[in-house]
């Protein structure tokens, strides 16, 4: 059995952490909605338009 060493040697995957945060935001939005989220609502939660604007498309 392999046990991770203690003492701050953990590597953080910032992309994975961002994806987890976005999934959490979607879960919160879905639980607050009375019906299914529309594609536009999902894009709003994921800030798709803001990302598109920032990239210059």
């Amino acid at each position: 059995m392999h046990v991770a060493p203690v003492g701050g040697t953990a590597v953080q995957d910032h992309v994975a952490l961002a994806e987890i945060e976005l999934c959490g935001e979607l879960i919160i939005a879905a639980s607050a909605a009375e019906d299914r989220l529309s594609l536009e609502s999902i894009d709003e939660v994921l800030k798709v338009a803001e990302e598109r604007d920032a990239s210059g498309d």
Side-chain angles (χ1 to χ4, degrees), residues 24-43:
E25 295 295 327
L26 277 175
I27 291 168
I28 291 167
S31 65
E34 292 184 19
D35 204 1
R36 287 183 162 195
L37 293 177
S38 66
L39 293 178
E40 292 81 17
S41 296
I42 293 170
D43 286 350

Side-chain angles (χ1 to χ4, degrees), residues 4-20:
V6 177
T9 60
V11 176
Q12 289 189 355
D13 184 340
H14 297 286
V15 173
L17 292 173
E19 289 177 356
I20 292 167

